[in-house]
Each structure stands twice: as structure tokens, then as C-alpha cells.
Amino acid sequence: MSETNTAAEVAAPHRYTAAMAADIEARWQDFWDAEGTYEAPNPTGDLAGDPDMAAKPKKFIMDMFPYPSGAGLHVGHPLGYIATDVYARHQRMTGHNVLHTLGFDAFGLPAEQYAVQTGTHPRISTEANMENMKVQLRRLGLGHDKRRSFATIDADYYRWTQWIFLQIFNSWYDTEADRARPIADLIAQFENGERPTPDGREWTALSSVERADLLGRYRLAYASDAPVNWSPGLGTVLANEEVTADGRSERGNFPVFKAKLRQWNMRITAYADRLLNDLDGLDWPEAIKLQQRNWIGRSEGARVDFPVDGAGGITVFTTRQDTLFGATYMVLAPEHDLVERIIPAAWPEGTHPVWTGGHASPAEAVTAYRKQAAAKSDVERQAEAKDKTGVFTGAYATNPVSGEKVPVFIADYVLMGYGTGAIMAVPAHDARDFAFARAFELPMRCVVQPSDGRGTDPSTWEDAFSSYEAKLVNSANEEISLDGLGVVEAKAKITDWLQERGVGEGTVNFRLRDWLFSRQRYWGEPFPIVYDEEGIAHPLPESMLPLELPEVEDYSPRTFDPEDADTQPETPLSRNADWVNVTLDLGDGAGPRSYRRETNTMPNWAGSCWYELRYLDPDNDRRLVDPEVEQYWMGPREGQPTGGVDLYVGGAEHAVLHLLYARFWSKVLHDLGHISSAEPFHKLYNQGMIQAFVYRDSRGIAVPAAEVEERDGAYYHGGEKVSRVLGKMGKSLKNAVTPDEICGEYGADTLRLYEMAMGPLDVSRPWDTRAVVGQYRLLQRLWRNVVDEETGEVTVVDTEPDEDTLRALHKAVDGVGKDMAGMRFNTAIAKVTELNNHLTKTGGPLSRSVAERLVLLIAPLAPHVAEELWHRLGHTESVVHQDFPVADPAYVVDETVTCVVQVKGKVKARLEISPSITDAELEALALADESVVAALGGAGIRKVIVRAPKLVNIVPA
């Protein structure tokens, strides 16, 4: 601190300074912890408390789970935490029982990578990081109910994560009931013959492996051999959502390839319609809803079967079934299971040389092309590449409407991740099919009448023609004609025809794929699954939960050359033979048997799919959550038809991943009767980002922002000119500012005020350390208005305030209250500042009633200084649970407002009038005003426009 400041402190020993702030903040944080100030009572159970408090309207407020990073917090991280804390404090003061707490999402890749690098067990480094973050968060004065905090790595937490997995594993989706049901109900249907087996045999005639495979087709959690995103550089597979747009891993930026592996999946697709429809009842930003709708990707069309000689048929999904007559070839995704079954030993006679790729046989061509396609990401495959690639399989399918034989290709522009992994190609009316057909000299048929005069011979076209407005042509056989119909009518007619002949049906398709739930990692929740000698998966009984993560010497999965697609995962747990191979009695009547444990672990998303429920009942070791407690905090109610958390604040980057997964788990648990809420989060709010300038030298390397000097509009580091750009704040960018630094220089209340005052909460904004002092001065002026800096005595008086002060006070109370409720904290601070400045200018001591309400107004924003002043004003109870001030309407409305009167658009008079004046009254006053009469000069009036109480515009005749 400067010598000037030190001298000022000597002259004013009771001035609000950083040192005083540190003392005040530490004392009240200790007091709040000791008194349990922020403990929210449940209506029943271990955390039941004051029944009067529990009888208040509830408010459940949540932040998105933080990950305990070793770097600790920078000032950008607490933005959302401070905002929810301010909102929660205001809600307490307006009569709510507020549940607000914070835990840690502590499984995941960063801790594991750190363990691999340092040899430190992930638990040790993670717990150390959590302790550091807890200290940093506590210093901010966040009002969390600490009894409810936990970490996902706690065994008594992930016991229930494993339990939920078993509920999902032991469930199936009944499409008739439109909900999940226990798998035992499905087994009963097979046993009593109500539901036939696929081949018609009785259930008892199936082997144990056949039964397991059949149930696996229904289970909501199932293992299957399927194309996955394999990252050799990470040594693990990834969900679609974890792969970037350029086909690389979101974490680590490694190449991602398609591979076929046996992995656990969640059948989230069973809930596609409900996940889509229930968005309408949620109070979420429209941008987030749109992202989820696009990711789910619902489209209506038809399923069509194309027979293939000797191999059954190829099923396609199309949204343009009206163009079936124009399908002149087919394309399968290179990974499609049918490829091996349809390729002949040799090329059919007369095969076009362009179709073979120069290979001697279909098998060689397919093998070579599959290897080529595996090296591309889905995004690369979907890109509009100039050169189309593919190869003929040697097989032909039959177009069910034209009866024509059409060649079947494989090409990388068709993905297994959408529809059936197969398409009917209508090159005349699809841009990619058109380009492919041109490249491979395939026939094209026009079946949609062009409206641009190009004619109906596609061989003369430069590009495909597609339209929903045109009429169908060349689309008839002996049984049906679509010619002359519009697209909508043609779709309906051909769909009925397909269904009548058993070669297709109208259906709905979704872009959403099942959730890949396996990771080849150590630091995650073990699956509560074991395999018998036949490879059948068995769930562990509840009595064996939690299945704890064992100790291992080597935490790293086997990684490979990032570019080597021909590799396979090897998990850390698989190297622990004593843990993997066990003898267990699962209580199923089979007695003790030898089993092999699942050696994959759950993804880091698992623990955050349900953490809102654990906050409600964190110590319950008998059930997931007490139904009465869950109903109280999250149950459906007026305005919240599907229940959920009242306010959930976090970044927009989780629009698809976490939010979609959590919604899915909630719906399954709701269907099975474990919770009353079908949605986890009713209201979602996305806070913006605190940004910072990044300075880079001539090599493009970031230099420490704190060491950069500005001279004549340019920026220099160590004498070298550097560039400056606004970006993220982070340790690697050398521009991070820690909250500890700001708290040390100004105090936590100042940091809280500055972050809330920077701008609207949902907008990103640049950090400027030099501007923090403005909020520090606000607190100093506030302090001086209540406390004598020389003596430390409270200076308020027991007299009534004057009219101007009452009016300023009540306007502030009204505005701040509305802004707090609307999370407009920057404008709330502006109104508090305006009131405080008014009180400062009055010069005299404050009325006690004004001082107390001033303190209550700022209490949610700056709780430490408010608590201190509240007690200095003679109160013994915490400011936290005091009533927020209520404005007197009589003082909120101005006594008079100024009305501008214009004639011919020029101001001719200003009238001081009542704000409640009517249009008619105001018009009469304006026309009677002497200045207006003179301006009109006896001219008639064509029109009078009145906008009471602010404007009258007179248009002369």
C-alpha cells in the first residue's frame, strides 16, 4: 500500500480499507459457518430444521459443477458463483427457504493426466485442488449450505451413480406406455407369450446367451459392437459430442477415427421425442433450446426396403420418398454390417471400370476404401469435397417402385450415425448425389419438374434441382402414379402404397445417436457389472455397492501414435488381475461363481447427471433421495409442469453434453418412480465470460500481461512491441488475475461488486483491474455515511429524513428490488450508487431508517460490509435473513414530470405536470399554454399527438 494511503489511515484510523475489509470478511465468514447461517432446512429427515423456515416458499438455486483444477481460480471463474449468491441472498430476504450449495465434479481426464505425468495418485491431487478451491470460494463470502457439499469421487456418492446405472440397465422403454419399465416386466411378457421372440421360439427354449442378447436389444443401458470414435493419442473412445468440428478430440486435440468396438451405450434415443417436446415447458434461453432441437434432429419420412438377391435387403430412411422413382443407385456407409454379406466374389460382367477403383475384386476394393474412410472424421466426410470418392460393392438392389436393378456403392459421405447408414441416391435432385453420379458416370432421372426452364434431361444440367414447390414427373408404374402431384400429396400417396405392399412405412427419424458410455480410463466410476464364462453381463446386487475404484500402479491407458487408426484400447483396470477376476455370489440362486469385472469406467458426465438430487439429501444411505424431500425442492408445481431446479446458472458450452444427458437420466428415474420431477433444471441462465487481453510477441507466444507497458497507443514487453487481442483468461495465456490478488488489495466485497457491475450478466466483458477501484470507493463512501472514520462511532440519528431523501430512497428500493429479481445486478449497483451519492451530498448525518435500508439494499451484493454495518447499527441477528426493504409507491412516482410541447417539430413549451395525467387533460393544457398559442398564431390544428406524460406534438393545419 502506498505511503499516501498509509498516512490517510493514520489520519482516519476507522476508514474502510483493504486491511479492514480482510478483518471484517474473515470474522463474518467464521460467524456464518459457526451459526449455520446458510443452512436450508428440509421438510423432513436428517436435515430437517426450523419448521417455519421450511414452510416458506422454496427456491433451489444451482451453479454448474466446478472441476477442481490444479491452477485454482482466476477472476473469471467466480462470475456465475457470485451471481447466484447475490440472487440467493435476495431470495432469502424476500421470504424464501433457499437451497444453495456447491460440490465438485472430480472424476475426469485432467487429474488422470497429471497422475501419469507426476506419479501422484489422482485422488491426492484432486483432493488437494478441492481444498485450495474451497479456500478461494470461502473468501468470496458465498452463502452455501456446506452440509450438502460433496465430490463425485466420494464412494458414498458414486455408489448411487452406480445404482442409477443399474436402474437404467434393468429397464427397457415401453413404446406403448411411452415410459421406461423394469426389465422384469419385459421378461414376463416373453415368458407368458404376450410378446413373441424374434424367431417364434418359446422363451424357455432360448439359451442363456440368446436371452441376454435379446434383452440387450431392449435395455436402456446395453453393450454392443458398434462404430465408435477412437482416439489413439488419448487411448480412449469418445462420444460424438466430444469430437470437435474438425474431427479431433475436444480434450488434447488428437485425431479421431472410426473403429468398431464393444462398448456400453445408453439408449437415449428412446427418449428423443420427450426430450424434444419437454423443451417447450422449460424456461431456457431459446439459443440453447435450438441447439438441443438440432442435435436431436427430428425428421419425418419413410422407411423403404430395397431387396438384394441372396442377402435380404437394404433399408433406407428418406424424407423425400416422393422421389423414389428417381433412385438410380444406392450408397452404404463403409462401416455398414451388410457390406460383407452382399459383396460377390468377383465383379459382375460389364462392371464400369470407374466403379472398381482399380481393384481386382469387390472384396479388395471394399477393404481398401474402408481403410481410407476410417482416417476421416464425420465432419470431413460430410464436407462438400470437390472430389467424390467411393467404390462399387459388386451388388445390385431392386428399386421397389420401378423394379430396376440399381448398383450399390459404399462412400464416405454416408454415415452410420444418421438414419440407417444407407441411402437411396436420387442424383437429379440432390447436390451430393449429383456430384457422385457425375464422378462415377451413373444414370440420373428427373422426377421433379424443374421450374427454372432447364428441361427434364439431367445430362444437360450443371447441378441438381430440388424443390418442395414443384410437381412430380416420370413417377408411375402399373399400380401407382405420382405424376402431376405436389410433394406433400406425393409423399402421402407413395407412403400408403409402400405400407400396403409391405416394403416400407411412414416413420420418424432422429439425428440423435445413443450415448457412448464407456471410457478406457482409470479415474472414473467403475461399472457395477461382471461377466460370466459365457460373456453374459450380470449386474451387481445393491448390497455390493459401491464397487470402489481399486489402487493401480499405472494410471494411464495405453496410448498410441495419434495417427495410427489400426489400434485397440487397453484399459488401466485390465492390468489389475486380482480385481478383474473374482468369485462372487450374486444372490441369483447360482451360488458362488467366477466372474470377470468390466474394465472400462464411466465417462466424466456420469456424476453430473444427477448431482442436483444429492444436494437435496446428501447423507441418505438408504435410498437415492427421500421422496418428500425431492417433491418439496424439485416437484412439479404451477409454472413448472415438469419440476426441476428453480435456477441453474452456467456456461452455454454445455448446451448438448451435460444438459441433454442429465435430462435423460431424470426422465428414466421419473418413469421408474424414484423422483417426481421429469426435468432436472426448470430455469437455465447462461452467464457470459470475463475476458482479458492476450499479448503475444513476434513468435506468437503469450507474454505476461502484467509486464506489458502501453506507450503511444502501442504495447511493449521488455522493449519489444507485442500484439494485443481480447480473448479468454487463463494461466497458459499469462493474463490470469486471481481473486486472491483482488481480495488482498481491495477486499472480497469489492471484487463481488466489480464483477456484478461490469455489465449484463449474460454478456461477455473484458476485465480491467484499474476499474476495480470504482467499487472500492463506493464501499468507502457507504461506510463513511454510517461510521465516523476518526472515532469508529456510528453517526446515524433518530430523525425523519427529508422529502427528497425519502423519494431517492424509495426509488432505489423499488428499482434495486426489481433488478435483483431479474438478475440485472449491474443496474442494481448503479441505483445503489446513485442513492449513496445522494446521501453523501446531503452532508448531514443519516436518518437511522435510511441507513438501515441502505445496508439492506447492498447486503446481497456486499454481504460482509453489510453484516458489519448492520451489527454496528445495533442489531444482533444476521442481516442475511432480514426482510428486503419494500418501497412506498407514493414516493416512487415523481411528483411532477416535464412534458415537452412541440409545434411543427420545434419545442415551444415545457410543462411541469402530474405523471398520472390523462392524454385529454395534457392536450388541453398544452393548447392553452401561452407560448403554444403564440407559436400557432391563430392557425388551425390538423393533428395533436399526445404521449402522456412526456410529449405533445401539434401539427398546424
Side-chain angles (χ1 to χ4, degrees):
M1 194 164 288
S2 69
E3 292 182 11
T4 305
N5 284 342
T6 304
E9 288 173 30
V10 172
H14 297 279
R15 173 170 293 174
Y16 182 83
T17 61
M20 178 182 284
D23 172 66
I24 289 172
E25 289 162 6
R27 276 193 292 107
W28 288 115
Q29 287 162 15
D30 290 343
F31 173 84
W32 293 329
D33 285 350
E35 296 295 315
T37 301
Y38 303 110
E39 293 177 0
N42 282 345
T44 188
D46 296 342
L47 298 186
D50 181 357
D52 291 337
M53 178 69 78
K56 292 181 176 182
K58 63 88 188 182
K59 196 67 82 169
F60 185 6
I61 299 166
M62 271 181 62
D63 303 275
M64 287 190 183
F65 244 174
Y67 186 84
S69 164
L73 300 176
H74 59 63
V75 291
H77 291 125
L79 178 67
Y81 306 149
I82 295 170
T84 53
D85 186 63
V86 173
Y87 183 76
R89 288 176 180 278
H90 178 255
Q91 292 297 305
R92 287 190 193 95
M93 297 177 75
T94 52
H96 294 84
N97 181 24
V98 176
L99 193 167
H100 190 211
T101 191
L102 194 69
F104 294 92
D105 190 12
F107 275 127
L109 197 55
E112 187 174 281
Q113 289 180 322
Y114 184 77
V116 171
Q117 294 165 7
T118 64
T120 306
H121 193 286
R123 180 174 292 278
I124 294 173
S125 58
T126 301
E127 289 181 344
N129 294 343
M130 285 193 290
E131 288 308 310
N132 180 48
M133 283 184 67
K134 286 177 183 177
V135 171
Q136 288 186 297
L137 291 167
R138 184 179 190 269
R139 192 170 183 181
L140 297 174
L142 303 177
H144 293 150
D145 185 343
K146 295 180 180 178
R147 303 169 304 166
R148 300 175 183 266
S149 184
F150 55 79
T152 54
I153 60 174
D154 299 339
D156 59 358
Y157 178 80
Y158 71 73
R159 165 198 176 182
W160 293 105
T161 306
Q162 293 170 336
W163 181 89
I164 295 172
F165 174 84
L166 293 180
Q167 306 310 301
I168 299 172
F169 174 77
N170 286 319
S171 302
W172 63 293
Y173 200 86
D174 185 341
T175 54
E176 292 183 5
D178 202 22
R179 65 179 180 87
R181 292 175 59 187
I183 202 74
D185 295 353
L186 180 64
I187 293 172
Q189 290 183 10
F190 282 126
E191 287 177 335
N192 63 27
E194 179 185 343
R195 183 182 294 267
T197 62
D199 62 6
R201 285 185 293 163
E202 292 187 1
W203 177 255
T204 53
L206 302 182
S207 70
S208 55
V209 172
E210 288 173 324
R211 292 181 191 178
D213 287 346
L214 178 54
L215 293 178
R217 300 180 203 174
Y218 290 86
R219 291 186 188 274
L220 290 179
Y222 65 95
S224 71
D225 293 315
V228 295
N229 301 305
W230 165 237
S231 175
L234 283 176
T236 189
V237 298
L238 303 169
N240 290 340
E241 297 87 344
E242 295 171 305
V243 181
T244 64
D246 56 354
R248 303 179 77 85
S249 61
E250 188 176 51
R251 187 172 293 280
N253 196 36
F254 290 107
V256 176
F257 304 94
K258 282 293 180 187
K260 185 166 284 190
L261 300 170
R262 190 161 186 83
Q263 303 289 312
W264 281 98
N265 296 273
M266 292 276 179
R267 206 178 300 275
I268 191 173
T269 50
Y271 283 83
D273 266 324
R274 286 171 59 184
L275 288 168
L276 199 59
N277 295 337
D278 286 354
L279 284 170
D280 294 340
L282 300 180
D283 185 3
W284 286 19
E286 281 304 316
I288 301 296
K289 289 185 179 183
L290 180 61
Q291 286 186 64
Q292 290 219 350
R293 290 189 181 106
N294 289 341
W295 191 261
I296 295 167
R298 187 182 193 276
S299 54
E300 295 186 10
R303 175 187 61 76
V304 187
D305 298 326
F306 285 69
V308 178
D309 291 341
I314 299 173
T315 299
V316 303
F317 170 81
T318 176
T319 59
R320 289 300 303 268
Q321 60 268 40
D322 56 301
T323 64
L324 252 172
F325 282 93
T328 57
Y329 68 96
M330 302 191 73
V331 184
L332 299 179
E335 307 88 355
H336 203 292
D337 288 338
L338 197 60
V339 174
E340 287 90 346
R341 301 209 300 272
I342 66 172
I343 55 175
W347 294 116
E349 186 177 348
T351 297
H352 197 309
V354 176
W355 298 3
T356 68
H359 295 280
S361 70
E364 290 180 19
V366 166
T367 299
Y369 189 77
R370 279 179 156 179
K371 187 170 184 179
Q372 175 185 329
K376 294 183 180 180
S377 70
D378 284 359
V379 174
E380 289 174 312
R381 287 169 56 170
Q382 289 277 278
E384 293 294 335
K386 182 178 180 182
D387 298 322
K388 293 297 178 187
T389 65
V391 70
F392 180 40
T393 64
Y396 286 84
T398 302
N399 185 320
V401 296
S402 68
E404 295 175 345
K405 296 287 188 180
V406 296
V408 181
F409 284 74
I410 60 171
D412 59 13
Y413 76 92
V414 177
L415 305 177
M416 282 303 298
Y418 181 77
T420 64
I423 67 163
M424 62 174 209
V426 184
H429 308 295
D430 180 273
R432 289 184 306 168
D433 294 347
F434 185 93
F436 190 91
R438 279 283 167 88
F440 288 88
E441 300 179 23
L442 287 157
M444 292 188 266
R445 179 181 296 110
C446 173
V447 294
V448 178
Q449 179 70 54
S451 55
D452 55 6
R454 66 170 70 187
T456 58
D457 180 3
S459 66
T460 65
W461 297 357
E462 294 296 322
D463 54 16
F465 173 79
S466 180
S467 172
Y468 273 85
E469 307 300 325
K471 300 293 184 182
L472 274 292
V473 295
N474 302 325
S475 298
N477 61 26
E478 293 179 356
E479 299 179 0
I480 186 173
S481 174
L482 306 181
D483 291 345
L485 297 179
V487 171
V488 175
E489 302 98 317
K491 278 187 176 185
K493 188 171 182 179
I494 195 66
T495 300
D496 290 343
W497 186 88
L498 291 167
Q499 195 152 334
E500 288 168 6
R501 277 145 191 79
V503 292
E505 63 179 349
T507 188
V508 174
N509 193 59
F510 294 91
R511 179 177 179 267
L512 180 68
R513 298 294 89 194
D514 282 343
W515 173 15
L516 179 67
F517 201 69
S518 294
R519 295 295 182 275
Q520 291 67 46
R521 287 287 172 188
Y522 168 71
W523 194 232
E525 298 91 342
F527 282 92
I529 293 289
V530 291
Y531 299 91
D532 64 22
E533 293 172 351
E534 295 182 288
I536 298 173
H538 296 265
L540 292 181
E542 278 188 49
S543 60
M544 292 187 181
L545 301 182
L547 173 60
E548 296 197 36
L549 196 61
E551 296 294 326
V552 297
E553 292 183 4
D554 183 2
Y555 313 115
S556 57
R558 185 180 177 192
T559 57
F560 304 88
D561 179 340
E563 303 291 344
D564 187 357
D566 295 326
T567 47
Q568 292 279 320
E570 180 186 295
T571 65
L573 292 181
S574 66
R575 298 192 284 266
N576 188 337
D578 291 341
W579 183 82
V580 174
N581 301 303
V582 290
T583 299
L584 300 172
D585 184 347
L586 300 182
D588 54 4
R593 294 176 63 189
S594 296
Y595 295 98
R596 176 178 51 84
R597 294 195 192 278
E598 172 63 70
T599 60
N600 285 314
T601 53
M602 298 185 197
N604 61 302
W605 308 106
S608 60
C609 275
W610 71 282
Y611 69 121
E612 71 282 356
L613 298 171
R614 193 62 176 173
Y615 282 155
L616 308 182
D617 203 6
D619 302 317
N620 198 329
D621 60 1
R622 301 173 304 281
R623 59 198 311 168
L624 181 72
V625 61
D626 184 297
E628 188 177 344
V629 171
E630 189 272 336
Q631 174 69 46
Y632 173 83
W633 288 110
M634 290 185 62
R637 62 202 65 217
E638 186 177 353
Q640 298 182 13
T642 49
V645 173
D646 296 289
L647 176 66
Y648 193 37
V649 175
E653 66 272 16
H654 295 296
V656 171
L657 288 158
H658 159 61
L659 291 173
L660 198 61
Y661 297 158
R663 295 182 64 213
F664 166 54
W665 277 34
S666 284
K667 291 185 184 302
V668 177
L669 292 171
H670 171 76
D671 286 356
L672 298 176
H674 299 301
I675 58 176
S676 66
S677 49
E679 286 283 344
F681 315 114
H682 173 69
K683 181 178 175 64
L684 175 69
Y685 190 99
N686 295 134
Q687 89 272 13
M689 181 189 298
I690 289 183
Q691 300 170 301
F693 287 109
V694 183
Y695 300 89
R696 297 185 184 276
D697 61 21
S698 58
R699 300 167 298 169
I701 296 174
V703 300
E707 299 173 8
V708 172
E709 296 179 355
E710 181 181 358
R711 297 198 300 269
D712 300 324
Y715 302 93
Y716 297 86
H717 178 259
E720 180 190 356
K721 192 173 183 180
V722 294
S723 64
R724 183 181 85 154
V725 64
L726 191 61
K728 288 185 177 181
M729 181 180 285
K731 187 176 181 180
S732 64
L733 298 173
K734 299 182 181 179
N735 61 356
V737 178
T738 70
D740 298 351
E741 293 174 57
I742 304 302
C743 289
E745 190 166 355
Y746 298 106
D749 281 339
T750 294
L751 172 63
R752 290 170 60 102
L753 281 170
Y754 176 65
E755 294 215 358
M756 294 300 95
M758 290 172 75
L761 183 60
D762 58 350
V763 175
S764 294
R765 71 294 303 271
W767 176 268
D768 182 0
T769 299
R770 294 169 300 180
V772 176
V773 70
Q775 301 307 316
Y776 181 56
R777 288 170 180 154
L778 166 62
L779 291 178
Q780 288 184 315
R781 288 193 296 271
L782 172 73
W783 182 266
R784 278 197 298 272
N785 276 330
V786 180
V787 176
D788 188 301
E789 291 184 335
E790 302 263 346
T791 66
E793 296 297 317
V794 171
T795 58
V796 300
V797 293
D798 294 320
T799 58
E800 287 300 311
D802 60 48
E803 184 82 5
D804 286 346
T805 296
L806 280 173
R807 197 166 294 284
L809 172 66
H810 286 280
K811 278 187 176 181
V813 167
D814 179 64
V816 172
K818 290 175 180 175
D819 287 344
M820 291 278 193
M823 300 182 71
R824 298 182 297 272
F825 305 126
N826 59 320
T827 54
I829 292 170
K831 292 178 175 70
V832 171
T833 303
E834 185 179 358
L835 172 63
N836 195 56
N837 289 343
H838 170 88
L839 298 175
T840 301
K841 290 174 184 175
T842 60
L846 295 189
S847 161
R848 172 175 291 276
S849 65
V850 173
E852 289 182 343
R853 280 178 279 190
L854 175 62
V855 170
L856 292 171
L857 278 183
I858 205 167
L861 294 153
H864 306 92
V865 71
E867 191 77 86
E868 179 74 13
L869 291 174
W870 188 249
H871 280 74
R872 289 195 180 214
L873 285 166
H875 300 281
T876 56
E877 294 183 348
S878 172
V879 75
V880 170
H881 292 287
Q882 300 306 308
D883 291 338
F884 198 78
V886 177
D888 184 338
Y891 290 108
V892 172
V893 179
D894 288 327
E895 285 187 292
T896 62
V897 295
T898 301
C899 175
V900 173
V901 183
Q902 297 178 333
V903 178
K904 291 185 179 180
K906 295 182 178 180
V907 177
K908 296 299 180 182
R910 286 184 170 83
L911 309 177
E912 294 300 316
I913 55 166
S914 166
S916 60
I917 194 170
T918 67
D919 284 359
E921 291 171 337
L922 182 55
E923 181 178 341
L925 280 175
L927 293 174
D929 184 86
E930 291 181 3
S931 299
V932 172
V933 172
L936 287 170
I941 298 173
R942 182 156 59 92
K943 183 189 294 185
V944 179
I945 301 168
V946 182
R947 297 286 184 267
K950 295 293 184 70
L951 175 69
V952 176
N953 191 12
I954 302 169
V955 182

